Amino acid sequence: MAHNPHTPQPHQGPQDHDPAGSTQMFQAFVNDDSAARRSTPAATQGAGSRTGLIVGVVAAAVVVIAAVAWLALG
């Protein structure tokens, strides 16, 4: 019979390692998240450019609506 690693196996002593690596991946995620929170100046710059992008999109939408209205009435 073939060995299937996903089926429950009888306990054969203590296992200290994580075979799936989920603990290491979680630890890397937590460490990466805390490093991102410490760099607040970059977050504020991103918020400023995001606001400018939103204003630009709204302005473009107003121009397009005005052009359509001008063509419809003209």
Side-chain angles (χ1 to χ4, degrees):
M1 181 197 262
H3 173 71
N4 186 351
H6 300 291
T7 59
Q9 302 293 325
H11 186 64
Q12 299 175 354
Q15 294 181 348
D16 292 332
H17 74 288
D18 185 6
S22 61
T23 303
Q24 289 86 357
M25 292 186 324
F26 177 73
Q27 197 63 256
F29 171 75
V30 169
N31 291 342
D32 186 47
D33 189 41
S34 64
R37 270 191 255 146
R38 278 184 260 145
S39 63
T40 54
T44 349
Q45 290 174 347
S49 63
R50 193 175 314 130
T51 304
L53 177 67
I54 292 171
V55 169
V57 168
V58 169
V62 168
V63 168
V64 168
I65 291 172
V68 168
W70 181 71
L71 288 173
L73 297 176

